[in-house]
Amino acid sequence: MLSAFHHTLQPEPPGRQHNASCPAGARPPADKRVRLPVNLRSASPWAYRISYDPTRYPKYIPEAYCLCKGCLMGIFGEESPHFRSTPVFMPTVILRRTPACAGGRYVYTEDYITIPVGCTCVPEQEKEAESVNSSIDKQEVKLLVGQNKPSSE
């Protein structure tokens, strides 16, 4: 299974330094026969690291992490501060080894975990809250003010 991810495996930036590996401003290859994997062509590029847990089956699980803080939205792939890259999670079932043994073999139990499988672009939180809620809030305020107005009769 890990061989399927070998072309996208990169070490995670030490200390999660900002944009340590973000390909902002990178132009696509001139040779059309060379095609980058989708995770590197995305507006929110990501790479994979391998998570290892000897008490889990499978022991090795590839986990995605975002390469950029923002999203590559400009004409030349510039990073936009109006959007942020965020991981996309998928719930999955694993087997977790217990301290118990049965017939000389380990006993495993099902465990549900969420694994980051890629990254996507979302509007910045403040901008998103303003744009989505502003018209709703204004209508609510108008309704409240209208209800509390003393009648002129």
Side-chain angles (χ1 to χ4, degrees), residues 50-70:
I50 301 298
S51 166
Y52 173 74
D53 184 347
T55 65
R56 171 185 73 199
Y57 182 81
K59 291 180 182 182
Y60 298 96
I61 297 177
E63 294 181 346
Y65 66 93
C66 303
L67 293 174
C68 302
K69 182 178 178 183

Side-chain angles (χ1 to χ4, degrees), residues 82-94:
H82 303 293
F83 293 88
R84 63 182 166 86
S85 290
T86 188
V88 175
F89 293 92
M90 180 181 81
T92 191
V93 179
I94 60 152

Side-chain angles (χ1 to χ4, degrees), residues 88-107:
V88 175
F89 293 92
M90 180 181 81
T92 191
V93 179
I94 60 152
L95 297 177
R96 180 92 44 205
R97 189 170 65 203
T98 65
C101 287
R105 295 184 178 198
Y106 290 116
V107 175

Side-chain angles (χ1 to χ4, degrees), residues 23-44:
R27 293 199 172 145
D31 186 358
K32 297 289 183 193
R33 293 175 293 175
V34 176
R35 201 139 156 100
L36 291 173
V38 70
N39 64 302
L40 297 177
R41 287 184 284 139
S42 172
S44 179

